[in-house]
Amino acid sequence: MLITSIDNPKVKEYVKLQQKKYRDKSNKFIVEGMHLVLEAYKKGIVEEVILEQDEVLPLDIPMVYVTKEIICKISTLDHPVNILALCHKIPEQEQLGKRVLLLDDIQDPGNLGTVIRSAVAFDIDTVVLSEKTVDLYNPKVVRATQGMLFHINVIREDLKVIIEKLKKEQIPIYGTRVEYGDDVRKIRNHDSYALVVGNEGQGVSDDIEQLCDANLFIEMNSDVESLNVGVATSILLYELRGVK
């Protein structure tokens, strides 16, 4: 199939997926670039591949060929690539596991993508997004994960509900604070834990902090007031991973 008109109904549906409300309504999203397309394909969530005409991709999946003009219309990149894919969202798994990362209203798509990559790198079982955290399927988030969102369970839920479940399983809940906390290097329980990371500007909200068993901090040069949330989370997860 070769589509040449930007007014084609299928093209219009692709373009709508740039908006969260349509991603939520259809339960679908777009990935861009060979790496993400192949990762999504291996995950089994690709419904069809969108190729610029004359491109070839040897996958056993429906192919839709379009013009460069249409690629540019569908893409959210400044310099569009010639391979995209229409995917359905990844089903959420109810089982949380023993290592859980809770994100309290993270707003920046790049930060969320970085955090998800680090969560996979350091053996987190589930990432929980608060109800106000940026959309997992925001195109910038998807790109920033570099495909790692296909390798970990990510759910969206009220953090208080999740913390209640974790407490019933006697999993310690660690909040994060720049001061008045425990040095993360002194934590000895690496088998099971939940780490709560807060909003870029406000940190962990007061009502969530009150539910934590302890707060952790990263020892660093006193001239530095704080770290980017993606960087700080990566360091904390590395330290909590312990010796394998």
Side-chain angles (χ1 to χ4, degrees):
M1 174 192 297
L2 173 62
I3 299 175
T4 59
S5 172
I6 60 173
D7 293 322
N8 182 283
K10 187 178 281 289
V11 174
K12 290 182 177 180
E13 290 302 312
Y14 294 152
V15 174
K16 285 181 179 179
L17 295 176
Q18 295 174 0
Q19 301 177 56
K20 180 181 183 299
K21 64 179 180 180
Y22 287 109
R23 294 193 295 269
D24 290 344
K25 183 178 180 179
S26 66
N27 210 36
K28 297 177 184 179
F29 68 109
I30 297 285
V31 298
E32 304 185 52
M34 179 69 77
H35 175 67
L36 286 174
V37 169
L38 292 178
E39 288 293 320
Y41 176 77
K42 287 186 285 187
K43 183 68 176 178
I45 62 171
V46 174
E47 296 191 0
E48 56 192 28
V49 174
I50 306 161
L51 297 167
E52 187 177 347
Q53 60 191 105
D54 300 326
E55 284 292 333
V56 176
L57 189 62
L59 297 179
D60 183 21
I61 205 81
M63 301 284 173
V64 177
Y65 294 91
V66 299
T67 62
K68 184 66 175 181
E69 180 187 19
I70 291 173
I71 287 282
C72 293
K73 185 74 173 177
I74 299 168
S75 177
T76 58
L77 295 169
D78 291 334
H79 302 286
V81 293
N82 52 11
I83 296 176
L84 306 88
L86 175 67
C87 305
H88 58 260
K89 291 184 179 181
I90 306 164
E92 297 182 358
Q93 304 297 319
E94 291 186 10
Q95 186 66 37
L96 296 174
K98 295 296 184 181
R99 297 186 183 90
V100 183
L101 177 62
L102 292 80
L103 306 185
D104 188 9
D105 297 356
I106 298 295
Q107 297 299 298
D108 183 81
N111 283 338
L112 178 55
T114 297
V115 165
I116 289 172
R117 290 177 69 184
S118 294
V120 176
F122 302 122
D123 303 318
I124 291 296
D125 297 316
T126 297
V127 176
V128 183
L129 313 182
S130 69
E131 293 169 331
K132 293 183 180 179
T133 290
V134 63
D135 181 26
L136 174 64
Y137 297 100
N138 177 303
K140 292 181 179 178
V141 174
V142 174
R143 290 197 297 273
T145 70
Q146 286 292 299
M148 291 303 100
L149 80 163
F150 305 128
H151 294 269
I152 191 169
N153 183 36
V154 183
I155 68 173
R156 186 175 295 273
E157 181 58 271
D158 185 328
L159 297 191
K160 293 179 182 178
V161 172
I162 295 297
I163 289 174
E164 183 179 351
K165 290 181 180 179
L166 294 169
K167 284 183 175 291
K168 288 179 179 179
E169 296 181 20
Q170 298 185 321
I171 293 177
I173 315 294
Y174 299 126
T176 48
R177 292 188 62 175
V178 177
E179 54 187 12
Y180 308 123
D182 299 322
D183 188 333
V184 64
R185 295 171 297 179
K186 297 180 181 180
I187 300 299
R188 292 290 174 259
N189 177 21
H190 303 299
D191 294 328
S192 63
Y193 63 83
L195 176 68
V196 185
V197 178
N199 171 271
E200 290 88 345
Q202 304 301 319
V204 177
S205 56
D206 291 340
D207 54 344
I208 296 298
E209 184 179 327
Q210 291 173 8
L211 299 175
C212 296
D213 300 310
N215 285 306
L216 304 181
F217 77 94
I218 301 165
E219 183 68 38
M220 57 187 179
N221 189 306
S222 60
D223 292 334
V224 180
E225 182 177 338
S226 63
L227 294 172
N228 167 277
V229 67
V231 172
T233 303
S234 299
I235 294 170
L236 290 164
L237 293 181
Y238 172 78
E239 293 290 351
L240 288 168
R241 184 173 186 262
V243 178
K244 292 294 178 180

